Amino acid sequence: MATGSDDKDRARDGGCDGKEVSRLAHQGPVFAVAFSPDGKWVATGGVDKTARVMEAATGEEVWYLAYQNWVTAVALSPDGKWVATAVGTIPRT
């Protein structure tokens, strides 16, 4: 299980037993979390204008990309080799 939040915990990666495995490296609220189909990778994106990919089992960051705006969505391809991101602001209503 991976969660994103807008509090001080940011994103956390945890097992099914609810114990925290690691804290993910974002420096602000996290808008998007996605697993690769095989469960090996976790992709995240957030207000810190970064997209990141971590190993799900360890939380070790393996990829990082900075943008000029918030990362509002992330997805991993079926083979886990590609990451898609959406970047922009989220309108307030």
Side-chain angles (χ1 to χ4, degrees):
M1 176 178 61
T3 63
S5 71
D6 63 357
D7 65 12
K8 65 180 180 175
D9 290 338
R10 308 302 173 223
R12 290 185 293 173
D13 182 18
C16 292
D17 60 4
K19 292 182 182 175
E20 186 174 290
V21 173
S22 64
R23 292 209 178 186
L24 309 178
H26 285 279
Q27 300 301 309
V30 173
F31 287 139
V33 178
F35 278 92
S36 62
D38 64 4
K40 184 175 181 180
W41 311 108
V42 179
T44 59
V47 171
D48 64 354
K49 303 177 184 177
T50 66
R52 301 168 187 267
V53 176
M54 285 75 55
E55 286 187 20
T58 65
E60 180 181 347
E61 187 173 283
V62 296
W63 182 82
Y64 167 96
L65 187 63
Y67 292 92
Q68 292 183 2
N69 213 325
W70 299 349
V71 179
T72 57
V74 294
L76 289 128
S77 64
D79 64 5
K81 293 182 179 180
W82 296 93
V83 178
T85 60
V87 179
T89 57
I90 297 176
R92 303 270 181 196
T93 57

